[in-house]
Amino acid sequence: MVSGRGDVSIVELIFYVPALALAVWIATRHGFGRSSGWLFLIILALIRIVGSSMELASDQSHNQSLTIGAAVLSNIGLNALISALLAILKRVNEGMSEFHGLKPRIFDLLHLPLLVAVALAAYGGSNSYQNGVFHTQSTSKFGIVIVAVVTVALTAITALTFMKLTHIPSGERRLLFAAAASILFIAVRLLYSLISVFASSKTFNSITGNVIVYAIMAVLMEFIAVALFLAAGILAPVIPRSAVQPGSKLTVGDRGRETGPGYHPVHELSPSRQPLTGTEAPYVAHGPEQQRYVPHHLEQQSYMR
């Protein structure tokens, strides 16, 4: 007979199996170079599918190793969810001009602590369940604190990005709205982990705690956040690879080349409209949706006239 934890695991499988397929489709649709947010959702879905399967197997066999494995994956999955939020905010800022969006390096630096937190969570979780008794390790505490700090930083970045909403292409705003809406649910999920690690409560415990509290504060909150991200991936415009090179930003002229819901396909920029480099002149903007690049010698001729 399946226990309450087993029932929750079955619900997770029902949710994450189609979520995995949808995340793969979204990542393929956007191109893997511009879809790191949904790549993390793929990772999260895989983690939850494997973890739920291990939980179900442990529920039947009472195997301690399976229980430990499920607990470790439960902690690591939260990092994948927050990494998805980070990647989506990075894409939104890349869609703004160089003078308004945050530098990609900021997001890269924020991702490094999350990788450290994954290692700490894996090590702490593997040593936390011994002889049927759960003992929180100090490494697990350090890991969840790092995750909390990064989440606070991403919340501040989201608020800062909202202050520059007018500089974000309309299609990319859907991503920002999804990110902002997900923060509340991610915060509740994070709160559950913090209480579980620091309070040593029988109610808040990812292995032996109250099933209803776990299902609402942990599982359901993740469901909502993942659903928001998947919906944003469906609605967000597809940006051609030729429009944005790795590490670069969308220019004002590139925004007209977005495709997707609410967008009309237009022709690619001709070679004459490509940005000039070197000693060639900077661009001269003509209206909000286009840029024209004028070489120095032509600019000088116009002054001579």
Side-chain angles (χ1 to χ4, degrees):
M1 183 176 179
V2 179
S3 65
R5 289 275 173 173
D7 292 335
V8 173
S9 297
I10 292 174
V11 173
E12 287 189 278
L13 288 172
I14 294 173
F15 177 84
Y16 280 109
V17 168
L20 172 61
L22 186 57
V24 170
W25 176 80
I26 292 173
T28 304
R29 173 176 176 264
H30 285 271
F32 287 90
R34 291 282 296 165
S35 57
S36 57
W38 297 284
L39 288 178
F40 285 115
L41 290 185
I42 293 175
I43 295 174
L44 172 61
L46 289 172
I47 289 174
R48 290 294 177 249
I49 290 172
V50 174
S52 298
S53 301
M54 294 177 71
E55 182 70 38
L56 283 173
S58 173
D59 195 47
Q60 298 297 318
S61 64
H62 304 287
N63 186 302
Q64 181 174 312
S65 298
L66 292 174
T67 303
I68 294 174
V72 170
L73 291 177
S74 176
N75 294 330
I76 294 177
L78 177 59
N79 291 30
L81 181 62
I82 296 174
S83 295
L85 172 63
L86 185 151
I88 288 175
L89 288 173
K90 180 180 179 181
R91 167 168 167 165
V92 172
N93 277 270
E94 286 178 341
M96 290 189 280
S97 67
E98 182 179 358
F99 303 101
H100 297 99
L102 296 176
K103 295 182 179 180
R105 184 181 298 273
I106 294 176
F107 298 93
D108 296 336
L109 291 175
L110 283 175
H111 192 248
L112 291 177
L114 289 177
L115 295 177
V116 175
V118 168
L120 293 174
Y123 179 81
S126 61
N127 295 281
S128 61
Y129 196 67
Q130 300 176 356
N131 299 322
V133 181
F134 183 83
H135 299 282
T136 302
Q137 302 295 311
S138 58
T139 51
S140 297
K141 294 181 179 179
F142 287 134
I144 197 63
V145 168
I146 290 174
V147 172
V149 171
V150 173
T151 303
V152 171
L154 292 178
T155 302
I157 289 175
T158 303
L160 181 62
T161 306
F162 254 106
M163 296 173 63
K164 303 177 181 180
L165 188 63
T166 56
H167 301 284
I168 302 175
S170 59
E172 298 289 285
R173 293 177 189 177
R174 301 183 182 104
L175 298 176
L176 179 59
F177 295 149
S182 70
I183 288 178
L184 174 61
F185 305 103
I186 292 176
V188 175
R189 173 65 180 90
L190 178 61
L191 178 62
Y192 179 89
S193 294
L194 287 169
I195 297 176
S196 174
V197 169
F198 286 99
S200 299
S201 171
K202 293 182 179 180
T203 302
F204 296 90
N205 188 297
S206 58
I207 298 178
T208 60
N210 185 283
V211 175
I212 297 177
V213 174
Y214 171 73
I216 294 175
M217 294 189 65
V219 178
L220 180 60
M221 296 300 103
E222 284 190 3
F223 282 1
I224 297 174
V226 170
L228 286 170
F229 291 155
L230 291 176
I234 295 172
L235 297 175
V238 177
I239 302 176
R241 180 177 297 180
S242 58
V244 181
Q245 299 299 326
S248 66
K249 289 179 175 289
L250 277 174
T251 64
V252 177
D254 291 328
R255 294 173 188 172
R257 296 196 292 165
E258 298 170 339
T259 61
Y263 285 86
H264 298 284
V266 295
H267 296 293
E268 295 289 331
L269 287 177
S270 62
S272 62
R273 292 186 60 193
Q274 298 299 325
L276 301 180
T277 57
T279 59
E280 294 171 324
Y283 62 83
V284 178
H286 293 270
E289 295 298 332
Q290 62 178 342
Q291 293 175 334
R292 184 167 62 89
Y293 295 85
V294 183
H296 277 302
H297 66 280
L298 295 180
E299 189 177 31
Q300 293 174 355
Q301 290 178 7
S302 64
Y303 287 139
M304 293 175 62
R305 293 176 184 176

